[in-house]
Each structure stands twice: as structure tokens, then as C-alpha cells.
Amino acid sequence: MSMSCDQPDLLPLDEALTRLWEALPAPSLPSVRAGRDDPAMALATMDGVALRASEGRSPRRNLGTLFAGDDPSLFEVVPGTAVRIMTGAALPAGADAIVPVEAIEALGDHVRPRIDPSPGDHVRPRGEHAKAGDLLLAAGAPLNAARVALLAMEGLFQPAARRIRVAVASTGNELVAVPAPHQIRDSNGPMLSALAHTLGAEVELRPALPDDPATLAAALVHAGDIRILITSGGVSMGEHDHLPSVLKELGATILFHKIRLKPGKPMLAALLGDLLVLGLPGNPVSAYLNALLFLPLALARLEGRTRPDPWRHAPLRVAVKHKGDRPLMHPCRLVEGVLEPLPGGGPADLVTLAKADVFAWVEPGGTAAGAQVRYLSVL
Ligand code: AMP
Ligand code: MG
């Protein structure tokens, strides 16, 4: 195995991921305090009958029914009475227990428990979860769906703040709608916008850009109100690979360019003001793999969520040879928990990519059959 041909200073993938994560601003949540007790009144936790536990199994006269959302002051459970009550309804005055409907016998306008009730049965007491003024969420907590619910509970939910706007633009003079044999269609654009859509972004697929620095610069400067521009192509060493120099001329901060990964080495990430540019390589498998690695991270950060950990582990059914000095991510099927490397799977091999369930991580030097490796699911 040779360690000589690749640049030894290529940025390791995990460092590139962390660098991107740390470079992006996370919207931080303010601290959230309870505006009222949670729950604000004692509530029924089962459908049943609200009654006075001290009256045991004796029959009571049913005064009526309380549904969730009903004002409980409609009723007062005085001795000898009860009120039918549904889950989520507030407990009427006088009642201190719920007997579930399954344990109730109906006798005309009376009800009789078949069990001995105890005070507090099937009642969620006022303030059980929080008292008014309690700290519910410390400032700066990452957002997740449960915390969105908590914000909504407190009347603080802002739905408009949730979707990140992403634009996708391929680059390359060879990309045309009706290709002659020396030309191709833009497959990366639809692929990357589908991925961004799957990841919950608001996506706009733009027409492919020609390999012309001025056009590229104009597209970057007039990106509009998007947060992430995903490009593909034009980031390697070719004479038409203009994106890195155009970004530099515009004064962008290059977060990294070139990572220690096969395929996908030319990967570029840059900040142009507030705009994150993910400059993916043009080869479809490289573009897809890098998008799978970097886009979920960027979206999570910009949405204020915790850093996602997409890695899983499974054994390889067969040994994978790998002579290069960059880690290889190879397309595999995942069959009953075992990774089966697909034949082929080079950086331009969309046919194999479309058969893959995952990309498996193969260290330089190769990996033995049965070895546990980390893998990333395709989306
Ligand atoms: P590049 O990174 O621009 O040098 O492109 C590398 C390879 O990927 C070339 O063979 C390109 O023709 C191909 N390629 C670039 N962009 C696309 C695209 N949008 N769809 C399909 N193939 C592409
Ligand atoms: Mg190109």
C-alpha cells in the first residue's frame, strides 16, 4: 500500500464536518418559563366518572357529562352525586377521583363503581408538570420536535422560522436538455434537490450554469434570500473549475476545499456573507455522498437542532480491497444487517448508486470480511 500519491494534508472528513458545524450560526432559543401551571387545573386522565372517593362503591346520581374543554364550574359534585367525564376534561369541584368507565355500572340516572376509588385516582393534579414561572427550557437549548411542542404550549411557536431555503445549481457546459453523444443531462440538480426536499428544506432547482466565471459570480452574488446554495461541478483541478477562484475573488470565507475522502475529495464549503455555499464535485456519486454528509448537518445547525449523528455500524459480508490512502465510502446493499458491497460503484456510476442502501466506510488498506464498519444510509 502506498501512502505517497495523495496530499497528506487533506482535511479528514470528521474535521470537515465539525468545521462546517462550528462555522454556521445556530438560532438560539430564549429561556422559556411556564406562563401558568401545567396542567392549569386537575384533569381526568381516563374516560370515566368523577366522584367523591370517600363514598366508596355506593350509587350516585349522575349530574351530566364533562368533555375536554368544557368549563367544570357547570357542575359541583356534592355528596351522592357524580359527573361523567372524558379524558382531558377538568375535574369539577367536589370530585377527587375518577373511576374508569370499564369499572362503572349504569343504573338509570345513577352510576355505581365496581371498585373502591381512592382520592387522586386517574387525576392529573394541577401543576404536576410545572408551576407557573418554572424554567421549562434554558436559554440556548437546541431545538427538537418536543421543544417545539413546549414552545407551542407557551404560545411561542413561530412556524415561519422552521424551513431553510436552499437553491441547487449544477455547473458545466456539457449539461443540456437534449444531449448529443458528447453531452449529458443534468442529473445532479434533480438528485440534490430531491435530497434537500427529503431533508425538509424549501428547495429551488435553478437552471445549470455554464463554466464561465462571470456567470458563476453573478449567480453567487444574486443568490436571493436563500441560506444554502448547493452547486455541483467546477471545484476540481480542471481548467474550467472556476468556483474556488470566483468565491475567493468575491471575498468568501473558504471553510475547506478538498477533504480526505474517496470519492468526493474536491468538496468545498464557503460562506459568502450569510450564504453557505456547498460546492460539491460534479461526479454524481461524489456529489450525492458529500451532500448526504454535509447537508443534514448544515440544515440541523441553521434550524437550531442538535448535531445529527448519521453513522450506524454493521459487518461487511466480504473483504473490501482498497489500495488508496483516502478512506473509501463504497455503495453497499444492507441485507439483514449485513453490508454487501456492490460491484462497480465508481464516482460517476449512478447505475450502482441507484441500487445502494448505504455507503460503507473502508479504511485505507482495505477491510476484512466480517469487520464492523460505520455506514451512512442513502436517502
Ligand atoms: P467536474 O467536477 O465539473 O469536473 O465534473 C466531474 C464529472 O461529473 C464530469 O464528468 C461531469 O461531466 C460530471 N458532471 C458534472 N456535473 C454533472 C451533473 N449536473 N449531472 C451529471 N454529471 C455531471
Ligand atoms: Mg465541470
Short mmCIF file of all heavy atoms in Angstrom, two decimals, residues 16 82 89-90 113 116 122 139 150 156 178 188 207 220-221 234 280 337 344 353 377:
data_model
loop_
_atom_site.label_atom_id
_atom_site.label_comp_id
_atom_site.label_asym_id
_atom_site.label_seq_id
_atom_site.Cartn_x
_atom_site.Cartn_y
_atom_site.Cartn_z
N ALA A 16 -13.79 18.13 8.78
CA ALA A 16 -14.54 19.00 7.86
C ALA A 16 -15.97 19.17 8.37
O ALA A 16 -16.52 20.28 8.37
CB ALA A 16 -14.53 18.41 6.46
N ALA A 82 -72.33 12.42 41.01
CA ALA A 82 -71.12 12.18 40.22
C ALA A 82 -71.33 12.83 38.85
O ALA A 82 -72.45 13.23 38.53
CB ALA A 82 -70.87 10.68 40.05
N ALA A 89 -60.73 16.44 30.34
CA ALA A 89 -61.67 17.41 30.92
C ALA A 89 -61.20 17.78 32.33
O ALA A 89 -60.59 16.96 33.04
CB ALA A 89 -63.07 16.81 30.98
N ALA A 90 -61.48 19.01 32.75
CA ALA A 90 -61.10 19.47 34.09
C ALA A 90 -62.07 18.88 35.11
O ALA A 90 -63.27 18.72 34.85
CB ALA A 90 -61.11 20.99 34.14
N PRO A 113 -69.73 2.49 41.15
CA PRO A 113 -68.40 1.93 40.91
C PRO A 113 -68.37 0.46 41.32
O PRO A 113 -68.98 0.08 42.31
CB PRO A 113 -67.47 2.74 41.83
CG PRO A 113 -68.28 3.90 42.32
CD PRO A 113 -69.72 3.50 42.23
N ASP A 116 -63.16 0.08 44.58
CA ASP A 116 -63.07 1.09 45.64
C ASP A 116 -62.17 2.23 45.17
O ASP A 116 -60.97 2.02 44.99
CB ASP A 116 -62.47 0.47 46.91
CG ASP A 116 -63.42 -0.56 47.51
OD1 ASP A 116 -64.62 -0.26 47.60
OD2 ASP A 116 -62.94 -1.68 47.83
N HIS A 122 -56.63 8.45 38.74
CA HIS A 122 -56.81 8.88 37.34
C HIS A 122 -57.05 10.38 37.21
O HIS A 122 -57.79 10.83 36.32
CB HIS A 122 -57.92 8.07 36.66
CG HIS A 122 -57.70 6.59 36.82
ND1 HIS A 122 -56.61 5.95 36.29
CD2 HIS A 122 -58.40 5.65 37.52
CE1 HIS A 122 -56.66 4.67 36.63
NE2 HIS A 122 -57.72 4.46 37.39
N ALA A 139 -31.92 28.94 28.24
CA ALA A 139 -31.56 29.70 27.03
C ALA A 139 -30.52 28.94 26.23
O ALA A 139 -29.63 28.30 26.79
CB ALA A 139 -31.03 31.07 27.42
N LEU A 150 -43.26 22.32 23.31
CA LEU A 150 -43.21 23.10 24.54
C LEU A 150 -43.39 24.59 24.25
O LEU A 150 -44.13 25.29 24.95
CB LEU A 150 -41.86 22.85 25.23
CG LEU A 150 -41.74 23.32 26.65
CD1 LEU A 150 -42.60 22.47 27.57
CD2 LEU A 150 -40.29 23.27 27.11
N LEU A 156 -45.38 30.30 22.00
CA LEU A 156 -44.18 30.92 21.45
C LEU A 156 -43.76 30.33 20.10
O LEU A 156 -42.72 30.67 19.57
CB LEU A 156 -43.00 30.75 22.43
CG LEU A 156 -43.19 31.41 23.78
CD1 LEU A 156 -42.07 31.01 24.73
CD2 LEU A 156 -43.24 32.92 23.63
N VAL A 178 -31.22 18.15 -24.18
CA VAL A 178 -31.25 17.08 -25.20
C VAL A 178 -29.81 16.83 -25.63
O VAL A 178 -29.28 17.53 -26.48
CB VAL A 178 -32.12 17.49 -26.41
CG1 VAL A 178 -32.20 16.33 -27.40
CG2 VAL A 178 -33.52 17.88 -25.94
N ASN A 188 -27.46 15.73 -11.54
CA ASN A 188 -27.17 16.16 -10.16
C ASN A 188 -28.22 17.13 -9.61
O ASN A 188 -28.57 17.06 -8.43
CB ASN A 188 -25.81 16.86 -10.09
CG ASN A 188 -24.65 15.89 -10.21
OD1 ASN A 188 -24.86 14.68 -10.19
ND2 ASN A 188 -23.45 16.42 -10.35
N PRO A 207 -31.62 26.58 -13.16
CA PRO A 207 -31.03 26.04 -14.39
C PRO A 207 -29.51 25.89 -14.23
O PRO A 207 -28.89 26.65 -13.48
CB PRO A 207 -31.34 27.12 -15.45
CG PRO A 207 -32.37 28.00 -14.84
CD PRO A 207 -32.23 27.91 -13.35
N LEU A 220 -23.74 33.77 -7.68
CA LEU A 220 -23.42 33.79 -6.25
C LEU A 220 -23.87 35.10 -5.61
O LEU A 220 -24.42 35.13 -4.51
CB LEU A 220 -21.92 33.60 -6.05
CG LEU A 220 -21.41 32.19 -6.32
CD1 LEU A 220 -19.90 32.18 -6.48
CD2 LEU A 220 -21.83 31.26 -5.19
N VAL A 221 -23.63 36.18 -6.32
CA VAL A 221 -23.95 37.50 -5.75
C VAL A 221 -25.46 37.71 -5.70
O VAL A 221 -25.98 38.31 -4.76
CB VAL A 221 -23.26 38.61 -6.59
CG1 VAL A 221 -23.74 39.98 -6.16
CG2 VAL A 221 -21.75 38.50 -6.43
N GLY A 234 -17.15 21.86 -11.10
CA GLY A 234 -16.33 23.06 -11.13
C GLY A 234 -15.50 23.33 -9.89
O GLY A 234 -15.14 24.48 -9.63
N LEU A 280 -20.19 20.98 -4.35
CA LEU A 280 -19.99 19.53 -4.47
C LEU A 280 -19.24 19.23 -5.76
O LEU A 280 -19.38 19.96 -6.74
CB LEU A 280 -21.34 18.81 -4.47
CG LEU A 280 -22.32 19.18 -3.36
CD1 LEU A 280 -23.64 18.44 -3.57
CD2 LEU A 280 -21.74 18.84 -2.01
N GLY A 337 -29.00 -6.77 8.07
CA GLY A 337 -28.00 -6.25 8.99
C GLY A 337 -26.57 -6.45 8.54
O GLY A 337 -25.65 -6.13 9.28
N GLY A 344 -18.62 -2.45 -8.93
CA GLY A 344 -18.64 -1.14 -9.57
C GLY A 344 -18.68 -0.06 -8.50
O GLY A 344 -18.02 -0.18 -7.47
N LEU A 353 -25.20 3.38 -7.83
CA LEU A 353 -25.70 4.21 -6.72
C LEU A 353 -27.19 3.97 -6.51
O LEU A 353 -27.66 3.87 -5.38
CB LEU A 353 -25.43 5.69 -7.01
CG LEU A 353 -25.92 6.67 -5.95
CD1 LEU A 353 -25.19 6.43 -4.63
CD2 LEU A 353 -25.73 8.11 -6.39
N SER A 377 -26.69 5.75 5.67
CA SER A 377 -27.80 5.34 4.80
C SER A 377 -28.04 6.36 3.70
O SER A 377 -27.94 7.57 3.94
CB SER A 377 -29.08 5.21 5.62
OG SER A 377 -28.93 4.16 6.55
#
